[in-house]
Amino acid sequence: MNSRLRFDFKSIRFRLWVYFLMISVAILALIWFLQIFFLNNYYDQMKEKEVSILGQEIKNAYLTNDKSLTEKIQQYSILNDYYFSMEYNGKPLLFLPDNETVRPVYTYQRQIPKLKEIIEADPEKDSASFKFSAGRENYNTLAYATIIKKTDSGNLYLYIFTPLYPVDSTLAILKSQFFYVTMGAMFLAFIMALLFSRRISRPVREMTESAKRLGMGQYKIRFDVDSYSEINRLADTLNTAAYEMEQADNRQKDLVANVSHDLKTPLTLIRSYAEMIRDMSGDNPEKRNAHLKVIIDETENMTNLVSDMATVCAMSMHRIDLDKEVFDLTSLTAGVLSSYEIYVEQQGYNFQLNAPKDAQVFADKDKISQAIHNLTSNAIKYCGEDKAINVTIKKSGKKYRFEISDHGPGIKQEEIPHVWDRYYKTSSNYVRATTGSGLGLSIVKEIFTLHHTGFGVLSKEGQGSTFWFELDMVKK
């Protein structure tokens, strides 16, 4: 298996290396293609654009009586190999340049009628250009004309001619340079591709091996890599997953241990009392009924435990749909408290309800009733020696706030966030009662989480606790 893993990752690293190398080759090939095959066309287009801009500059300089016009024409003529001519009503006005290093402009005079013909063919045009062969050299010449000024007696024309020299020699130089550049770039691409492929494949290989150990139950494993940000984020996500899996495994073990304990006690009692009925009280109706009552009560406790476990599981997996409706929270609370009258009559508990006559809310009535039952049962277990439990319903903005308070031992501040956990036991005084399933507050939390509403607990050690939740207010 290990050799197979090594082989797989070698192939991944090889593929990454090939991909990086192919990208480098593609980029170099694109540069070759653009430079070699498009250089001629690009040169001609840029030359035409340059001549057109120059013609407009000379035209503007002439119309504004710019004194630098002659100097500008001379500069372009000698340094940039341009040929200029101006004509008014068929008569030349200016010839530049006139020296031994360049061809005199009159050799291009036969192209002027064609330029004028192109311009005059379209009244909306004031300029024209075309390429032609000079005949003696193996290159073309660009001819350009524009109307500087229109008058009743004729038009003032500007003509510009410039050779379009072949770029074969330039291409030869570029090819030679590109060859060495390509060789150097390919070498660098080879090295960079190898480094990148190793840098990417190494942390992935390490994370895969760690994930394999994680799958075998080694939850303490950590994904510590130092690579690109995406891989680092993946490692952080896997670390979080490992932590959550460890917590889930611990909760599962705690759940199994607590459920085993909770089931063992009633099962032991059921067996013991069943044996007593068989051996001792079978013929005594009074003792037999007492023993049977214990068996029935313990069976009911087991049923409640299984029911609570099923409820928590279904809620945590979001398999329960809420059936929301408008109802009176005050009436619902009063009904729940009335079911605890036996605690008032037999054990001296004192329930105080302070609530408006009508508190209409929108929620799942059955689920809220179950939550209030669980909160009340929790308050009964930890209400303190005075056995006083205060229930308050009041307005809080656009919500109704339900509070149930006791004067019991309270909860340490560092332990408050954990009271909603299943089977949680505090360090000292918040110990789960033997008569409950240990899932009551966990069910309450799931109910309010499904409702997307606020809830919490306020407590001071030695002064009691107040559990609260809020529901959306509904106006009549």
Side-chain angles (χ1 to χ4, degrees):
M1 184 66 180
N2 292 334
S3 61
R4 182 179 178 183
L5 281 174
R6 287 196 295 270
F7 173 78
D8 289 343
F9 276 100
K10 283 184 178 179
S11 63
I12 291 175
R13 187 169 62 189
F14 176 75
R15 287 197 298 269
L16 288 172
W17 175 77
V18 171
Y19 293 155
F20 282 124
L21 203 58
M22 288 176 60
I23 292 174
S24 302
V25 172
I27 293 175
L28 290 172
L30 180 62
I31 294 175
W32 271 83
F33 183 74
L34 293 176
Q35 294 294 334
I36 303 304
F37 293 97
F38 288 97
L39 188 58
N40 274 317
N41 291 334
Y42 181 75
Y43 170 73
D44 290 351
Q45 292 174 2
M46 292 302 296
K47 200 69 173 180
E48 292 178 7
K49 184 177 180 181
E50 182 181 329
V51 171
S52 176
I53 294 174
L54 177 60
Q56 293 299 318
E57 289 181 357
I58 295 176
K59 178 179 178 180
N60 294 334
Y62 183 89
L63 294 176
T64 57
N65 294 321
D66 189 348
K67 295 181 180 181
S68 63
L69 173 61
T70 302
E71 181 181 352
K72 183 178 294 186
I73 292 176
Q74 289 176 342
Q75 179 183 1
Y76 273 92
S77 297
I78 298 174
L79 299 179
N80 298 77
D81 208 7
Y82 280 85
Y83 303 81
F84 298 88
S85 176
M86 297 179 67
E87 175 188 289
Y88 177 69
N89 199 17
K91 297 179 181 181
L93 298 180
L94 177 66
F95 287 90
L96 287 173
D98 189 9
N99 57 61
E100 297 178 355
T101 61
V102 294
R103 180 188 303 119
V105 73
Y106 61 80
T107 59
Y108 298 127
Q109 290 296 315
R110 61 180 178 272
Q111 307 300 332
I112 291 178
K114 185 176 180 181
L115 289 169
K116 293 173 65 176
E117 181 181 350
I118 296 174
I119 296 176
E120 293 172 355
D122 188 353
E124 296 182 358
K125 294 180 62 175
D126 62 351
S127 64
S129 64
F130 64 87
K131 291 180 287 186
F132 66 95
S133 176
R136 294 181 180 180
E137 292 83 5
N138 188 23
Y139 56 82
N140 292 329
T141 299
L142 177 63
Y144 172 84
T146 183
I147 299 177
I148 295 180
K149 187 177 181 180
K150 294 182 179 181
T151 63
D152 295 337
S153 58
N155 297 330
L156 176 60
Y157 286 92
L158 168 66
Y159 303 104
I160 303 176
F161 300 91
T162 181
L164 298 175
Y165 294 111
V167 293
D168 293 341
S169 59
T170 304
L171 288 176
I173 297 174
L174 288 176
K175 287 180 180 178
S176 177
Q177 291 180 341
F178 281 161
F179 175 77
Y180 293 107
V181 171
T182 301
M183 292 299 101
M186 289 296 295
F187 176 75
L188 290 177
F190 179 87
I191 300 299
M192 296 299 293
L194 183 62
L195 294 176
F196 285 148
S197 62
R198 286 183 177 179
R199 182 168 174 80
I200 293 176
S201 62
R202 179 181 55 81
V204 173
R205 181 178 67 252
E206 293 175 354
M207 286 193 295
T208 301
E209 293 175 353
S210 299
K212 181 182 177 182
R213 293 196 295 272
L214 177 63
M216 297 173 62
Q218 300 179 22
Y219 302 120
K220 295 295 184 181
I221 194 70
R222 288 295 174 263
F223 299 86
D224 297 323
V225 298
D226 182 15
S227 184
Y228 301 102
S229 58
E230 291 79 5
I231 297 179
N232 291 336
R233 285 197 293 269
L234 175 60
D236 293 339
T237 302
L238 291 174
N239 284 328
T240 302
Y243 174 78
E244 293 297 334
M245 291 175 66
E246 181 181 9
Q247 296 301 312
D249 184 67
N250 292 335
R251 286 193 292 268
Q252 181 182 9
K253 292 177 180 178
D254 291 341
L255 179 63
V256 171
N258 283 284
V259 170
S260 299
H261 176 269
D262 285 343
L263 290 177
K264 183 178 180 179
T265 300
L267 285 174
T268 301
L269 290 174
I270 289 173
R271 178 173 180 173
S272 298
Y273 279 90
E275 291 176 349
M276 291 177 65
I277 293 173
R278 181 193 64 187
D279 299 335
M280 301 174 56
S281 61
D283 297 331
N284 188 328
E286 183 177 352
K287 291 184 177 180
R288 183 178 67 240
N289 291 335
H291 294 165
L292 288 174
K293 184 178 184 305
V294 173
I295 294 175
I296 293 172
D297 291 341
E298 293 303 321
T299 304
E300 184 177 357
N301 290 336
M302 292 176 59
T303 301
N304 292 335
L305 173 62
V306 174
S307 177
D308 287 347
M309 289 177 57
T311 300
V312 171
C313 181
M315 287 183 174
S316 62
M317 298 180 67
H318 304 288
R319 292 182 177 177
I320 294 181
D321 296 327
L322 297 180
D323 184 16
K324 291 187 176 182
E325 60 181 299
V326 177
F327 62 90
D328 182 11
L329 182 60
T330 299
S331 298
L332 178 66
T333 303
V336 171
L337 295 180
S338 65
S339 63
Y340 292 90
E341 286 295 329
I342 189 173
Y343 288 91
V344 177
E345 297 173 359
Q346 297 183 1
Q347 300 184 34
Y349 283 88
N350 181 24
F351 293 94
Q352 293 291 332
L353 175 60
N354 300 311
K357 293 183 179 180
D358 189 24
Q360 296 292 321
V361 296
F362 182 67
D364 188 316
K365 185 176 182 180
D366 293 336
K367 298 294 185 298
I368 298 301
S369 175
Q370 183 180 9
I372 296 175
H373 268 289
N374 290 352
L375 291 175
T376 304
S377 297
N378 184 76
I380 290 174
K381 297 173 188 175
Y382 307 105
C383 65
E385 296 181 358
D386 61 356
K387 296 184 179 182
I389 299 172
N390 298 322
V391 179
T392 303
I393 300 175
K394 59 184 178 181
K395 291 183 178 180
S396 177
K398 295 183 179 181
K399 298 177 180 294
Y400 278 112
R401 182 183 179 96
F402 176 98
E403 295 180 350
I404 182 167
S405 304
D406 61 68
H407 304 113
I411 312 169
K412 292 182 178 180
Q413 293 300 312
E414 62 271 17
E415 296 178 349
I416 287 179
H418 303 288
V419 298
W420 309 101
D421 297 343
R422 305 171 194 175
Y423 290 108
Y424 181 76
K425 298 179 182 180
T426 61
S427 58
S428 56
N429 42 33
Y430 205 80
V431 182
R432 178 170 51 87
T434 57
T435 57
S437 67
L439 299 173
L441 293 182
S442 178
I443 293 175
V444 171
K445 174 185 175 182
E446 296 295 339
I447 290 175
F448 295 142
T449 300
L450 288 174
H451 279 81
H452 301 287
T453 189
F455 64 97
V457 56
L458 303 173
S459 181
K460 290 185 178 180
E461 195 172 4
Q463 299 183 22
S465 304
T466 298
F467 288 81
W468 63 270
F469 66 88
E470 294 179 339
L471 293 176
D472 292 331
M473 182 189 304
V474 177
K475 294 182 179 180
K476 293 183 180 180

